[in-house]
Structures are given as structure tokens and as C-alpha cells.
Amino acid sequence: MSVYVDVAKIGKTVGVRGDLRLQILSDFPEILVPEREFCCGDKTLCVQSFDAQKCLIHFRDYDSKEQSAILTGALLQCTLEQTREWCALAQGSYFWFDIIGAHVCENGEILGVVREIERIGAVDYLLIATDFALVKAGNAARFMLPFLERFIQEIHENSAGYRIDVCHAKDILEAS
């Protein structure tokens, strides 16, 4: 069973030829190129054209407003493997799906595990489920850590997944 990454949410139709508005959910809208296929529920949709300036997409075989209207509200998705193949990461960048599940450590102490990532404004926040021992000691069960250089020291990949070494995160936890 494949795991999927949301690329965009399909909005309302625009015009009479079946163009659709897109709400981009990805940091990589450049993957929306002609002839590329994406999952959409139980369908596979092939991009015929994409206007990045207007966020309008046209799918092959959806050539009228009525045909395209059935796609409104659906998610356009790709697999993790496609994401890795199609998206070029900058040095020091990571896919969210790789970071989710990572252990967060400060000075060798495990503070918790990343459960989600939320973007607020221009900043990504790690939503961390606090380690049970720290919760038992009276700390919050969850806390948020900005994914910024001043907090994130290093990210390590090993056979068990990812580990994120942080600084000043325990102060945030204790203040939560």
C-alpha cells in the first residue's frame, strides 16, 4: 500500500473548457508539469497544462466545466517515491514526512518525538509529543518548537530514522 503526499487541493472550475483553480499545499509547485500523473482519490489525473501565475490547472480528458466540476474539493497527491524523484531539496532541507517520527534530543536527553509539522506564517513548527518520563515529571504532554537555526543544531539519519539535536527546547517545554 502506497503512502501519499498532498500536492494541492482542487478548487472550483474556471471558464468553460474545464480549467480548475488549485490551492497549492506543497513547497514544490514546479512538479505540476504537463504529462505528469497524480493520484486523486481512486482516479489518476494527467496534467495537460498548469498556469503557475494564476494557479489554474487543466487535466487531460476533462474538457468541460461539467466534467471538471466533479474534481472540486479533491486532493491531488503523489507517492513518497515520486516526491523524492520529482523534488530537488536544497542542502540542509528535509521532507516533512522524513522528520515526522524523529526523536528530539537536547544534550543527550530525549525530549520527545515529532508527531506533526505545522506552518504558521513563514515558520515551520515541530509538534512534539513529550517523552513519557518528562510528562510523568510534570511537563506538558506536547509542545511546539520552531524549526529555526537557533533551536535546531543538527539532524542525523540512521537505521532507525532521524534524530534531531536541539538547544533551548527544554526551556520551551518547561514553559509550556
Side-chain angles (χ1 to χ4, degrees):
M1 183 172 152
S2 293
V3 176
Y4 294 93
V5 175
D6 296 342
V7 175
K9 183 173 182 180
I10 301 173
K12 65 180 183 170
T13 58
V14 176
V16 295
R17 59 168 248 176
D19 290 350
L20 291 154
R21 180 118 11 240
L22 277 187
Q23 177 188 359
I24 305 294
L25 303 174
S26 169
D27 288 337
F28 301 93
E30 63 273 11
I31 68 172
L32 295 164
V33 296
E35 302 306 317
R36 188 158 280 165
E37 294 182 344
F38 293 88
C39 298
C40 183
D42 60 350
K43 300 174 179 28
T44 299
L45 300 177
C46 182
V47 176
Q48 184 171 320
S49 64
F50 175 64
D51 182 334
Q53 296 289 339
K54 297 178 182 176
C55 281
L56 293 178
I57 196 162
H58 190 91
F59 296 108
R60 184 185 300 145
D61 300 326
Y62 288 83
D63 296 321
S64 71
K65 183 176 184 172
E66 294 74 26
Q67 284 177 314
S68 295
I70 64 169
L71 301 174
T72 298
L75 289 173
L76 201 59
Q77 301 174 311
C78 62
T79 65
L80 298 182
E81 294 78 19
Q82 289 169 323
T83 301
R84 290 187 198 288
E85 178 185 339
W86 297 342
C87 302
L89 287 178
Q91 182 73 21
S93 295
Y94 300 89
F95 291 115
W96 283 15
F97 55 79
D98 287 331
I99 297 298
I100 293 172
H103 285 88
V104 177
C105 302
E106 186 169 331
N107 297 322
E109 178 182 17
I110 296 175
L111 300 182
V113 175
V114 177
R115 292 292 177 218
E116 293 178 54
I117 301 174
E118 187 172 326
R119 180 165 291 153
I120 302 172
V123 178
D124 294 335
Y125 287 83
L126 304 179
L127 278 65
I128 301 166
T130 308
D131 186 73
F132 181 72
L134 293 170
V135 173
K136 195 172 167 182
N139 289 288
R142 294 173 48 138
F143 69 104
M144 295 175 67
L145 181 69
F147 195 82
L148 299 172
E149 241 179 74
R150 71 185 258 210
F151 299 107
I152 308 298
Q153 290 183 315
E154 201 169 350
I155 299 176
H156 306 275
E157 182 180 10
N158 57 41
S159 59
Y162 284 82
R163 184 184 84 224
I164 304 172
D165 291 334
V166 298
C167 60
H168 309 296
K170 193 161 185 185
D171 296 336
I172 292 173
L173 169 60
E174 290 172 348
S176 297

